[in-house]
Amino acid sequence: MYQSFDTPSNPALGPARLADLRKVMKERGVDGFLVPRADVHQGEYVAPRDARLLWLTGFSGSAGFCVALADQAGVFIDGRYRTQVKTQVDLAHFTPVPWPETSLGDWLVSALPDGGTVAFDPWLHTAKEIEAALKRCDGHGIDLVPSENLIDAIWTDQPAAPTAPMTAHPIEYAGVAHGDKRADLAKTITDADQAAAVITMTDSIAWLLNIRGADIDRNPIAQALAILHGDATVDLFCDPAKTTGIADHLGADIRVHPMADFAPTLTKLTGPVRVDKTTAPIAVASALGEHAVWGDDPCALPKAKKNAVETQGARDAGLRDAAAVVNFLAWFDETAPSGTLTEIDVVKHLETCRRDTGALREISFDTIAGFGPNGAIMHYRVSDDTNAKIETGQMMLVDSGGQYSDGTTDITRTIAVGDVGMNEKTCFTRVLQGMIAISRVQFPRGLAGRDLDALARYPLWVNGLDFNHGTGHGVGSYLCVHEGPQRLSRVSDVPFSEGMILSNEPGYYREGAFGIRIENLISVRKAPAIKGDDGRDMLAFETLTYVPLDRRLIVTDLLSQDERDWIDAYHLETQNRLADRVDVAAKPWLLAACAPL
């Protein structure tokens, strides 16, 4: 099994660790210390060595941070984790703070009315993050000062850094050789009168050099840092042992250095050097000094705009994965009514179905298999301690994905177990209407996620409902399942372009009762012409995920005729694409699940 079922956090350990941190804070003469859920690369997932927020507080979510002061400790969490955090931290010592509604600066101004000094590790925070906090604290006597990492000073059994070897990502999957990628981006840099660009995001480096790794569970990336020069050469900083097997792939234009050489090398660079304020540690800009200029990670947009080979890989991986999910759903529908299954059984069988494809490299994230009330925990991870028995009369939410050499998948289906209430069915149908709206929309070029996000929420809003997460995230090509810069979100201003892959996943969650999410992957494409249009440049979404929706949860009377037609057409296409791919035993289930409304 890729997934384990251990309990990742122990709230009882937090108070003593917080006391140790406060002792070190006092010794260093500071009033507070910032503990982010981040490493030097600012990726969403971190290696055990960098899981400082989890170690201190017990909170295991993929985003957030803690501010430890002498008399209080705030754990900042977004809407996805406000149920989860209550069970993972000692609430007598750590206080959940709704974020980003409450910013770091706002909280510090309130918590330190007489001012104070708050330390932070400059290798774990971006310049944008620190600048925003400093601006809010200006005039309140609060200083944010760079410091050694105080968690590392007290974490006596901190794990070692990961050392998994890198592998080459073949051109048959990448579509473009890394020499061509480097040349294109070098021109971007020199056209902007810049001498080099610092790249700190691991998935950017993996994409640029057509390499993959295994330093972070579920994400085929290697921990490394890079400097791309105007002559298209690259200085790559990592454990040199990781590159032993790919020396020929990298070639002479990629110079490999130990990670310890990164900071000293920065101080020797001259000429304007591009640094991404939103992803690079503030320590990078400090080391570059006057040579630092702000600019986007040059890999971010090209990586997001999948080429033809990567897009076809996403289609192929999606169909392979869909057949595995249908095999699972057929098994689940047959087995769940017996009352013998648990959430862990679900996770194990679904992973087995994906393994049976013979192509699975990893799962793309820990499967979210939440039954009943657990479905309302948006990023629920079942453990031996929380493993719920599946009984009739409630819903099962299963959010999962696979890593394949040709693509990364992510799909959510909410499934009825027996007969569920009309309230649940109504909420499901409202969520489904939002998913359909995104699937069907055509929109002018230049629009971004913030312009479309409301389409997925409108059917919920008119009924007084909403969900506390973005409608969709970018997805990598055999890379991270959560990829920027594009998002289907009210906070995203990155215009959509052909080739971008996103998730389309509205939901609804009622704490203590049930959760609903429906998710397909979609790809941005040029919109087909519409009779009578004025020739405007329009984009649309191509659906990449074909798995039946649970018709038992659909209240047909709530749907428009266009929505009914979309569902029937989707199911017919699903049947046509998967009928010869699923197991013989699953085919009758597929045909029944795809029957017209």
Side-chain angles (χ1 to χ4, degrees):
M1 287 291 297
Y2 287 120
Q3 187 162 335
S4 64
F5 305 100
D6 60 305
T7 302
S9 64
N10 183 349
L13 299 176
R17 292 172 176 176
L18 182 59
D20 289 342
L21 175 59
R22 286 172 169 158
K23 181 179 178 181
V24 175
M25 287 162 44
K26 186 173 182 180
E27 292 171 353
R28 301 295 197 276
V30 297
D31 301 294
F33 185 68
L34 306 184
V35 184
R37 157 69 179 206
D39 58 18
V40 66
H41 312 284
Q42 292 296 315
E44 180 174 2
Y45 300 101
V46 298
R49 175 181 180 78
D50 298 307
R52 298 175 181 89
L53 180 63
L54 170 62
W55 181 85
L56 175 66
T57 68
F59 173 62
S60 66
S62 63
F65 58 94
C66 175
V67 186
L69 303 179
D71 59 347
Q72 57 184 308
V75 180
F76 290 66
I77 36 85
D78 64 33
R80 297 170 295 173
Y81 297 112
R82 288 172 191 167
T83 300
Q84 176 178 328
V85 71
K86 298 173 187 177
T87 65
Q88 290 193 318
V89 307
D90 186 326
L91 296 174
H93 293 81
F94 296 96
T95 302
V97 179
W99 168 71
E101 296 90 334
T102 302
S103 71
L104 169 60
D106 289 338
W107 192 85
L108 288 175
V109 168
S110 175
L112 294 171
D114 299 322
T117 300
V118 179
F120 67 93
D121 183 339
W123 288 100
L124 301 183
H125 297 269
T126 67
K128 181 180 180 181
E129 179 185 357
I130 296 301
E131 285 181 7
L134 285 170
K135 182 178 180 180
R136 178 66 180 87
C137 293
D138 187 36
H140 294 273
I142 299 173
D143 293 324
L144 271 66
V145 298
S147 159
E148 65 176 311
N149 197 294
L150 303 188
I151 294 295
D152 293 356
I154 62 174
W155 191 354
T156 56
D157 58 348
Q158 188 175 21
T163 58
M166 296 178 184
T167 57
H169 187 53
I171 190 71
E172 64 187 279
Y173 300 127
V176 179
H178 70 78
D180 294 331
K181 292 180 180 180
R182 289 186 284 107
D184 287 345
L185 296 194
K187 186 176 186 303
T188 298
I189 294 168
T190 56
D191 284 351
D193 295 324
Q194 296 163 355
V198 177
I199 304 172
T200 58
M201 294 285 286
T202 51
D203 60 335
S204 288
I205 295 169
W207 174 85
L208 176 64
L209 302 182
N210 287 346
I211 57 175
R212 297 296 186 264
D215 282 342
I216 305 294
D217 288 345
R218 320 298 177 238
N219 298 272
I221 50 87
Q223 289 191 330
L225 299 164
I227 301 170
L228 171 64
H229 298 274
D231 63 359
T233 64
V234 169
D235 286 304
L236 180 66
F237 300 85
C238 63
D239 179 348
K242 293 182 180 182
T243 66
T244 302
I246 60 167
D248 291 341
H249 168 78
L250 292 176
D253 288 341
I254 314 300
R255 299 174 290 267
V256 180
H257 313 271
M259 189 74 86
D261 289 354
F262 179 64
T265 301
L266 292 176
T267 65
K268 299 173 185 176
L269 294 178
T270 58
V273 179
R274 181 187 296 204
V275 181
D276 191 327
K277 180 182 286 191
T278 66
T279 62
I282 192 171
V284 170
S286 298
L288 289 169
E290 63 182 10
H291 299 298
V293 294
W294 301 126
D296 293 337
D297 178 336
C299 301
L301 271 177
K303 172 169 55 68
K305 299 175 184 179
K306 307 298 184 285
N307 60 49
V309 171
E310 291 171 319
T311 300
Q312 186 58 48
R315 296 186 187 107
D316 295 341
L319 287 179
R320 183 187 311 115
D321 194 72
V325 174
V326 166
N327 289 337
F328 158 77
L329 290 172
W331 166 85
F332 181 84
D333 263 7
E334 180 181 1
T335 313
S338 68
T340 61
L341 292 182
T342 67
E343 292 168 334
I344 288 179
D345 294 326
V346 168
V347 173
K348 287 181 175 180
H349 194 83
L350 179 51
E351 184 173 317
T352 297
C353 290
R354 284 196 165 99
R355 284 178 177 273
D356 287 346
T357 66
L360 185 70
R361 303 292 298 270
E362 242 274 24
I363 53 176
S364 54
F365 55 95
D366 280 349
T367 296
I368 300 167
F371 177 70
N374 287 341
I377 304 172
M378 296 176 202
H379 278 201
Y380 173 70
R381 175 186 175 276
V382 60
S383 70
D384 291 318
D385 295 334
T386 65
N387 188 24
K389 187 177 180 181
I390 296 168
E391 301 170 333
T392 60
Q394 297 190 68
M395 294 183 296
M396 182 87 201
L397 188 156
V398 183
D399 186 349
S400 67
Q403 292 283 12
Y404 304 92
S405 295
D406 49 358
T408 299
T409 67
D410 186 0
I411 174 175
T412 308
R413 288 296 183 264
T414 304
I415 315 157
V417 182
D419 189 26
V420 302
M422 180 54 69
N423 182 47
E424 289 91 326
K425 293 178 182 179
T426 299
C427 292
F428 178 92
T429 305
R430 299 305 186 195
V431 172
L432 175 58
Q433 288 176 300
M435 194 274 281
I436 294 171
I438 295 294
S439 302
R440 295 181 61 218
V441 67
Q442 297 193 11
F443 54 94
R445 186 182 299 277
L447 297 192
R450 66 184 180 189
D451 303 306
L452 303 184
D453 180 78
L455 295 175
R457 299 177 189 273
Y458 176 75
L460 292 163
W461 284 350
V462 296
N463 291 278
L465 310 175
D466 201 1
F467 53 94
N468 292 329
H469 58 75
T471 299
H473 54 82
V475 179
S477 180
Y478 185 42
L479 267 176
C480 300
V481 72
H482 290 173
E483 176 183 270
Q486 78 280 11
R487 295 167 63 187
L488 261 170
S489 164
R490 66 187 73 178
V491 300
S492 178
D493 59 0
V494 177
F496 292 127
S497 297
E498 289 97 324
M500 289 180 171
I501 296 176
L502 301 109
S503 65
N504 172 13
E505 52 177 310
Y508 177 67
Y509 312 88
R510 187 163 296 174
E511 185 174 348
F514 60 84
I516 298 165
R517 188 160 61 250
I518 308 170
E519 176 185 18
N520 284 346
L521 294 190
I522 52 179
S523 178
V524 182
R525 61 184 175 95
K526 187 170 178 61
I530 300 174
K531 184 178 180 180
D533 68 21
D534 61 3
R536 201 175 299 263
D537 189 6
M538 303 285 284
L539 298 175
F541 295 119
E542 173 190 350
T543 295
L544 300 177
T545 306
Y546 286 94
V547 169
L549 307 160
D550 195 333
R551 295 165 65 257
R552 297 165 298 187
L553 291 171
I554 300 174
V555 183
T556 310
D557 290 345
L558 296 178
L559 300 175
S560 69
Q561 188 60 53
D562 284 345
E563 289 168 335
R564 297 183 195 187
D565 290 345
W566 185 92
I567 293 170
D568 284 344
Y570 175 78
H571 278 154
L572 178 60
E573 188 67 20
T574 298
Q575 176 180 309
N576 291 340
R577 290 178 183 237
L578 297 185
D580 294 332
R581 290 175 173 266
V582 300
D583 291 346
V584 172
K587 190 168 182 177
W589 181 93
L590 173 68
L591 298 179
C594 291
L597 290 177

